[in-house]
Amino acid sequence: MQLTAPAPGRTETRTPTRDADGMAVASFILGLLGLLVLNVFLGPIAIALAAVALWRGTSRRGRAYLGLGLGVADLAVLVVAMELSHTVSWSL
């Protein structure tokens, strides 16, 4: 993602899918990490990053789908843990 315009005369070296590939990898890592800690925050972030990566046409579709699945699993783990402990949050 580029926040500023390129200098005149310079060619753009990044491809649009490079950012989407990074989002797919980030969604996978955040989804995996969310199974252990902060799943209420990391789950939705993983889902959003995976959706944007798929929408932008990432070449790492499998990683984006894994991030999407792990984000949903994060939220499912949170709901199950809340039901088992009869609280609004959960702890180990």
Side-chain angles (χ1 to χ4, degrees), residues 18-61:
R18 185 174 177 190
D19 290 336
D21 291 347
M23 286 183 201
V25 172
S27 73
F28 172 71
I29 291 171
L30 290 177
L32 196 58
L33 186 61
L35 288 173
L36 302 173
V37 294
L38 296 173
N39 49 5
V40 70
F41 298 111
L42 296 180
I45 292 171
I47 292 169
L49 282 174
V52 171
L54 290 169
W55 181 70
R56 287 188 178 185
T58 181
S59 61
R60 299 180 182 213
R61 296 183 64 81

Side-chain angles (χ1 to χ4, degrees), residues 7 15 17 19 22-25 27 29 32 42-43 51 55 59 67-69 76 79 81 85-88 90-91:
T15 60
T17 58
D19 290 336
M23 286 183 201
V25 172
S27 73
I29 291 171
L32 196 58
L42 296 180
W55 181 70
S59 61
L68 185 65
V79 168
S85 65
H86 302 292
T87 62
V88 181
W90 68 282
S91 62

